[in-house]
Amino acid sequence: MSTNPLLDTSGLPLFDQIKPEHVSPALDVLLAEAEAALEKVTAPAVPPDYDTLSLLLDVSTERLGRAWGAVSHLNAVADTPELRATYNDNLPRITEFYTRLGCDERLYAKYKSLDQSAAGQQLSPPRRRALDLALRGFVLGGAELQGDAKKRFAEIQEQQAALSQAFSEHVMDATDAYAYYATADELAGVPADVVEATRAAAQAEGKDGHKLTLHMPCYLPVMQYATHRPLRETLYRAYVTRASETGPAERNNTPLMQQIVALRHEEAALLGYATFADVSLVPKMAESPRQVIDFLRDLAQRARPFAEKDMAELRDFARVELALTDLQAWDTAFASEKLKEARYAFSDQEVKQYFTEPTVLKGLFTLIETLFDVRIQPDVAPVWHESVRFFRIERAGHLVGQFYLDPYARSGKRPGAWMDDVRGRWKRPDNHQTQTPIAHLVCNFAMGVGGKPALLTHDDVTTLFHEFGHGLHHMLTQVDDIGVSGISGVEWDAVELPSQFMENFCWEWDVVQQLTHHVDTGASLPRTLFDKMLAAKNFQSGLATLRQIEFSLFDMRLHAEVGNAQRVQAVVDEVRREVAVNIPPSFNRFQHSFSHIFAGGYAAGYYSYKWAEVLSADAYAAFEEAATDAGNVLSVDVGLRYREAILEAGGSRSAMENFKAFRGREPNIDALLRHQGMS
């Protein structure tokens, strides 16, 4: 066991050494240690003291969490049949332990005793908040349930974990399993780099033609640029029916969604809540499902006239200029790109040639260093794939945090983009040293081809900035208490504030100049081209806003109304009739790959993106206000205030307190509507 890399938590995870056969033996040891710690800390002789509880319990559970986190991460970015098997074998016992820990009556009693003691009342504000959140977590974790109710609650947690994992696997497998081998003629209009990459993919399999997949670096440019309409329809149908009843039965997510929703409502009933949405909102800023639904419907009402105008213009253009008299779902991306090119005289493909990945990273790092007074340097760590890189962030010569960057799409890697933590900042009670935070930043961009660097679309650049915003929230914290440092303890509907905030810089000329270097000529993006991009910034923003509201309202209604477990498709259809101006075809099954709510943390919380966008737009307005005085949005003074009030504070205060500390007032929606051209 001394050679098991999962048991070595002295430094960075040994990702290059971890193998499936290490997982079960390591968890045998770590779970036994955590069990022993739980028994020790709940013994009558142990006083209800903050430091004592942390030393006896948190050290063991954090060690377990880091090891399982490494396994979970590899399961998401380097999936193999062997790793998946051992992950699924061990998921039930991990779930069982954490469920039991979260509802242990003896441990709950210790925390309540601490809460009621004089020492508890005199804790520092971050520790006091961590204690309050822990007590709330016990209640939501079923600590006040008794007998059969507590047993059933534990069963529900285990079943939900298994179902969510299966949902995620079905989406990944359906995405990876699909391939269409197109002819060169079918790829007319598709960018040359995509044509080259798909030809190389087919050749690698010893096949003719071009291998098309449902991974975004292939799927999206085909939908945007392929003039061959039947090809667009073929790929669209495959994409929007992934993991549904139209494919292999073993990958159909229909029964999983039904079971997940039913179990969530049963969990809510056990805890004494009317619906799962009510449970979900307890730790969030929003106060009730009704408040969220009203917020979404109000935003939909404001956006609808703009969306209707967007759709009418697109239909007219498609009919007159493209001879598409019956605009279909597989035509919209293509027609939209053509309309944008006609209206603004540029294409995404033209812009993409300037955003070479090395230059984008250098510019992003320079921006972060300028605004937040830090330095980002390459670092060395064991990694899970040769394309993964590792960096360190320093301030005044001292290590602040580190991060892995995994930028490229590949088989065995979950679609999408995300940030996850490796470990959090913590003044450890076992050695009194400050543990610095480490993050994973994961994207799914296309790799460079023909010896050239990867080229990013402007949307890719925005995605990268978004995930770095999450990463900075995790890594720049100065809070030493693990329960509220970084993103820990931050209300879920505010956690997108720092990520969406960073996206705004992708539209600033002073920033964009530093992000661009033409792949062939080395020239920076011309100002004339940037001005065209800026003019097109809110192109179809009404449609985009209604699309997000559609997803959010579906999610909230699904979880806020009893009896929806068997009505998933019906709820989708009802929401579309209410808010959408561009209703997809009846075979569309977007919900079957909606991993955010069925396999992620966004159940009854997808509205967070729009909710936090109000916060992020208003926060960014502080930089815009500074620019009117100084002429440059890159205000170091405002950047440092933002770092201190938002990023460094993490979850040690409520999100509203953090926001008011930065802006001096509560947020309003005006900046969001102005940014999206709907004011």
Side-chain angles (χ1 to χ4, degrees):
M1 292 304 298
S2 61
T3 62
N4 192 317
L6 286 168
L7 294 178
D8 185 350
T9 53
S10 59
L12 300 170
L14 302 174
F15 283 118
D16 59 338
Q17 298 179 32
I18 299 170
K19 294 180 171 58
E21 57 264 29
H22 293 133
V23 177
S24 293
L27 292 179
D28 289 342
V29 174
L30 296 171
L31 282 167
E33 288 179 358
E35 292 280 7
L38 177 58
E39 291 306 311
K40 187 172 183 179
V41 78
T42 54
V46 173
D49 171 74
Y50 192 100
D51 288 308
T52 302
L53 294 175
S54 185
L55 174 63
L56 294 181
L57 185 61
D58 292 347
V59 171
S60 292
T61 55
E62 195 255 2
R63 182 165 143 87
L64 171 63
R66 279 167 63 179
W68 182 244
V71 176
S72 299
H73 176 70
L74 290 175
N75 180 250
V77 298
D79 183 43
T80 65
E82 296 78 14
L83 179 61
R84 178 181 294 188
T86 194
Y87 179 88
N88 287 328
D89 285 346
N90 285 284
L91 180 60
R93 59 177 182 156
I94 289 288
T95 305
E96 188 277 334
F97 171 76
Y98 279 109
T99 299
R100 185 157 42 82
L101 180 73
C103 66
D104 191 291
E105 295 177 37
R106 302 165 301 168
L107 189 60
Y108 183 33
K110 292 277 186 187
Y111 277 86
K112 285 195 291 187
S113 294
L114 172 59
D115 176 50
Q116 295 160 8
S117 68
Q121 297 302 315
Q122 294 168 8
L123 290 171
S124 66
R127 287 191 164 192
R128 183 65 236 179
R129 179 162 169 81
L131 177 58
D132 290 341
L133 295 181
L135 289 168
R136 186 182 69 194
F138 276 112
V139 175
L140 294 178
E144 295 183 343
L145 299 179
Q146 300 293 323
D148 290 343
K150 176 169 283 193
K151 179 182 177 183
R152 179 57 186 155
F153 185 88
E155 292 171 352
I156 288 172
Q157 304 313 304
E158 186 172 325
Q159 291 170 21
Q160 284 194 67
L163 290 167
S164 293
Q165 172 62 12
F167 185 99
S168 181
E169 290 175 358
H170 291 174
V171 176
M172 182 190 295
D173 291 347
T175 303
D176 284 348
Y178 182 83
Y180 178 83
Y181 295 88
T183 65
D185 290 344
E186 287 178 301
L187 290 185
V190 175
D193 59 330
V194 179
V195 172
E196 185 177 348
T198 56
R199 182 171 59 242
Q203 289 174 344
E205 296 180 354
K207 296 188 177 182
D208 296 330
H210 301 258
K211 181 183 179 182
L212 305 186
T213 73
L214 300 181
H215 290 284
M216 272 296 130
C218 176
Y219 174 77
L220 189 57
V222 171
M223 297 308 295
Q224 285 180 302
Y225 296 104
T227 58
H228 193 69
R229 195 183 191 195
L231 176 65
R232 298 198 307 266
E233 181 179 358
T234 296
L235 256 65
Y236 175 84
R237 283 181 177 272
Y239 188 81
V240 302
T241 57
R242 286 176 300 160
S244 73
E245 72 277 10
T246 63
E250 65 271 17
R251 289 202 293 261
N252 182 9
N253 274 336
T254 301
L256 273 62
M257 291 186 292
Q258 294 171 346
Q259 294 172 66
I260 289 169
V261 174
L263 287 170
R264 287 171 177 169
H265 282 305
E266 186 180 356
E267 174 188 330
L270 286 171
L271 293 174
Y273 289 89
T275 69
F276 181 79
D278 293 285
V279 176
S280 175
L281 293 183
V282 173
K284 294 181 173 69
M285 290 181 74
E287 296 174 358
S288 68
R290 174 49 53 193
Q291 183 187 17
V292 172
I293 290 171
D294 288 347
F295 163 74
L296 292 172
R297 285 176 169 156
D298 175 60
L299 192 55
Q301 186 176 8
R302 294 169 186 249
R304 189 173 189 86
F306 297 92
E308 289 174 337
K309 182 172 179 285
D310 291 341
M311 201 63 220
E313 290 173 346
L314 184 63
R315 287 198 176 102
D316 287 345
F317 177 84
R319 185 183 67 256
V320 174
E321 301 296 333
L322 304 176
L324 290 172
T325 56
D326 59 333
L327 189 72
Q328 298 294 331
W330 47 90
D331 300 321
T332 54
F334 174 75
S336 294
E337 182 61 27
K338 293 297 184 186
L339 173 57
K340 187 167 71 172
E341 290 176 15
R343 179 175 296 173
Y344 303 105
F346 80 96
S347 71
D348 285 347
Q349 186 63 19
E350 178 186 1
V351 170
K352 181 180 175 181
Q353 307 307 308
Y354 289 92
F355 287 107
T356 56
E357 186 204 27
T359 308
V360 171
L361 277 180
K362 182 181 178 182
L364 170 58
F365 290 176
T366 299
L367 170 67
I368 293 169
E369 291 174 342
T370 301
L371 284 183
F372 304 131
D373 188 27
V374 296
R375 293 294 173 265
I376 302 176
Q377 302 288 342
D379 207 344
V380 178
V383 295
W384 54 93
H385 190 271
E386 60 185 9
S387 64
V388 176
R389 281 158 279 172
F390 189 63
F391 299 88
R392 64 193 285 114
I393 303 179
E394 297 177 351
R395 185 183 305 133
H398 298 288
L399 179 64
V400 175
Q402 294 160 294
F403 62 92
Y404 300 85
L405 177 63
D406 184 353
Y408 306 125
R410 58 181 178 268
S411 292
K413 182 178 178 183
R414 204 176 79 201
W418 66 92
M419 189 283 292
D420 205 354
D421 67 308
V422 180
R423 70 184 190 199
R425 180 182 168 97
W426 187 23
K427 188 168 183 180
R428 298 186 63 95
D430 50 349
N431 60 18
H432 305 292
Q433 300 295 309
T434 299
Q435 171 178 289
T436 52
I438 305 175
H440 291 302
L441 301 173
V442 184
C443 298
N444 270 281
F445 303 143
M447 295 186 71
V449 294
K452 293 183 177 181
L455 301 179
L456 308 186
T457 66
H458 190 255
D459 283 345
D460 289 339
V461 174
T462 304
T463 295
L464 185 65
F465 273 59
H466 179 105
E467 299 309 332
F468 261 89
H470 283 308
L472 294 171
H473 201 189
H474 177 67
M475 292 182 286
L476 297 191
T477 185
Q478 290 296 293
V479 179
D480 290 333
D481 295 285
I482 196 168
V484 289
S485 70
I487 59 173
S488 297
V490 176
E491 295 95 325
W492 198 261
D493 44 6
V495 80
E496 297 295 336
L497 188 168
S499 54
Q500 294 179 152
F501 163 83
M502 285 295 293
E503 294 181 21
N504 292 284
F505 290 107
C506 299
W507 295 100
E508 295 291 346
W509 174 241
D510 292 326
V511 175
V512 170
Q513 290 178 86
Q514 307 304 315
L515 303 177
T516 56
H517 182 96
H518 194 281
V519 66
D520 294 322
T521 69
S524 294
L525 185 82
R527 180 64 195 246
T528 53
L529 181 52
F530 175 75
D531 287 342
K532 293 174 183 177
M533 293 168 58
L534 203 58
K537 177 183 179 228
N538 291 318
F539 176 65
Q540 296 184 344
S541 65
L543 284 173
T545 298
L546 283 194
R547 181 171 178 268
Q548 285 295 96
I549 292 170
E550 177 187 322
F551 295 169
S552 302
L553 192 56
F554 160 68
D555 168 44
M556 185 52 65
R557 280 198 51 196
L558 187 69
H559 292 104
E561 300 166 4
V562 177
N564 276 345
Q566 301 299 317
R567 298 187 67 253
V568 177
Q569 185 63 51
V571 177
V572 171
D573 295 338
E574 290 165 9
V575 168
R576 283 174 174 162
R577 285 196 294 270
E578 178 183 351
V579 302
V581 299
N582 182 27
I583 296 178
S586 59
F587 61 77
N588 181 292
R589 294 290 183 269
F590 98 92
Q591 68 272 19
H592 286 69
S593 58
F594 198 3
S595 295
H596 274 78
I597 71 168
F598 292 112
Y602 284 85
Y606 195 79
Y607 76 92
S608 300
Y609 283 101
K610 300 312 294 184
W611 186 278
E613 212 170 337
V614 174
L615 304 176
S616 63
D618 201 349
Y620 190 74
F623 289 81
E624 295 173 317
E625 291 158 11
T628 60
D629 298 327
N632 191 322
V633 77
L634 303 181
S635 168
V636 175
D637 289 341
V638 179
L640 293 180
R641 285 200 295 111
Y642 175 83
R643 187 191 82 191
E644 292 169 0
I646 305 291
L647 301 179
E648 291 185 354
S652 65
R653 300 181 299 206
S654 72
M656 185 61 77
E657 288 177 286
N658 285 349
F659 186 91
K660 289 196 289 189
F662 176 56
R663 289 295 268 148
R665 56 167 174 76
E666 292 191 359
N668 64 59
I669 201 171
D670 294 346
L672 170 62
L673 296 173
R674 175 170 52 81
H675 280 191
Q676 296 187 343
M678 297 190 295
S679 58

